[in-house]
Amino acid sequence: MNAFEPVRFWPAKRGTSRVGRQLISYGIYDQSGAKIKPWPIMISYASRFSYMRLSPPKNAKLLDKKQYIFAGNFEGNFGHFLTETLPCLAAAMDLKKQFPDATLLFYKSARPLEKIMASAGAFLPFIQDHFGIDAGEIEFIDEPLHISQCAVAPSPFLAKSSYAPAFADTIRKHLSFSAKTPDRRLYISRAKWPYRTRVNDETKIQNRFEKNGFEPVFLEELNLNEQFELIQSAKQIIGPQGSGLHWSLYAPNLTSIVSLGRPSKLQKGICALHGQKYVEVTGTRKSIKDRRDRLFDDSQLQSAVDIANHELGL
């Protein structure tokens, strides 16, 4: 849609039952519970998002003095910010070229708004530098709203974990990529990450790959602009499955990714968008209960090294 029309919004709601979340499909729903098909939202939990052109909710706040562009879901979590918020923002900014005075309107996750903004504070300089928008041009759906002038950008997603092909061109329009041929081989390490890691004994694993020509890097020591510049210099990355590898969404010149850990449909979808070669070395579950934490023996690590070398013809 590229024109304004009246729409209604409800704040996001998340069910408390984990079973129930798995049974709810992903996307935006109208008041009757029917999914609005043109706008799947790729989120890692199932929430009931409402965006509708039906009767307004009771006690809805009326906003009829400003123009808005619906910009999807704003996540304070780093990985979700990369894979969900930035794609939605890029789509909305394309539409903002037609409506330069419009304010961007985001859903937020179920956490209080002040916590969302606190965790997202580190992301705002990146948004300002690459998209030319500041915090004053962003508003959040924190209560039922009835908006008289709202435009909705085309979704950057086809479905959960699947990006629309046109999004590859959208990325190039909004982000400045290095003209240099990438030549670095990076190991995206979580050895210094203060929270939970996904592989057992990572320092040992990191040393193994460093001896085989991979440069260990620690993203938590860099701001987002520095991380973006770093990933532009890489021709190949390897590391534990997670948000560090998801930076490949913004590195179309990256040739191959080797993931250590559980299978990831999301990472497969990212690599499919740019035609990047993607290989998973899944290791062994640390326990039956936890499917994420993995153990790797010497043969599995050597297999990962061999695969990485083979992808580059070494």
Side-chain angles (χ1 to χ4, degrees), residues 160-229:
K160 180 176 170 62
S161 304
S162 178
Y163 291 87
F167 179 56
D169 293 330
T170 302
I171 291 174
R172 292 183 181 276
K173 282 191 290 184
H174 290 285
L175 300 177
S176 299
F177 297 108
S178 174
K180 298 180 180 179
T181 301
D183 59 0
R184 298 167 74 179
R185 305 177 79 191
L186 303 180
Y187 177 82
I188 309 296
S189 177
R190 289 194 174 198
K192 295 183 180 181
W193 183 242
Y195 306 105
R196 172 175 143 183
T197 185
R198 300 295 171 79
V199 298
N200 195 58
D201 199 5
E202 184 167 4
T203 299
K204 177 182 176 181
I205 295 174
Q206 174 188 308
N207 292 338
R208 175 73 169 263
F209 285 103
E210 188 172 11
K211 291 178 181 179
N212 283 274
F214 285 86
E215 175 187 353
V217 294
F218 308 93
L219 299 185
E220 62 269 23
E221 298 179 344
L222 307 173
N223 64 39
L224 260 65
N225 279 316
E226 291 169 335
Q227 292 181 39
F228 178 72
E229 293 175 3

Side-chain angles (χ1 to χ4, degrees), residues 41-97:
I41 289 185
M42 188 178 63
I43 50 178
S44 62
Y45 53 83
S47 293
R48 288 241 175 217
F49 290 91
S50 299
Y51 145 59
M52 62 208 70
R53 303 163 198 166
L54 305 176
S55 59
K58 293 181 180 179
N59 302 318
K61 182 178 180 180
L62 175 63
L63 300 177
D64 61 354
K65 303 297 184 182
K66 295 173 62 176
Q67 296 176 337
Y68 289 88
I69 295 173
F70 177 54
N73 194 44
F74 195 101
E75 283 285 348
N77 174 281
F78 172 60
H80 298 303
F81 175 81
L82 284 182
T83 58
E84 299 158 35
T85 301
L86 282 184
C88 291
L89 176 61
M93 289 303 293
D94 274 357
L95 193 54
K96 192 170 171 60
K97 293 176 181 178

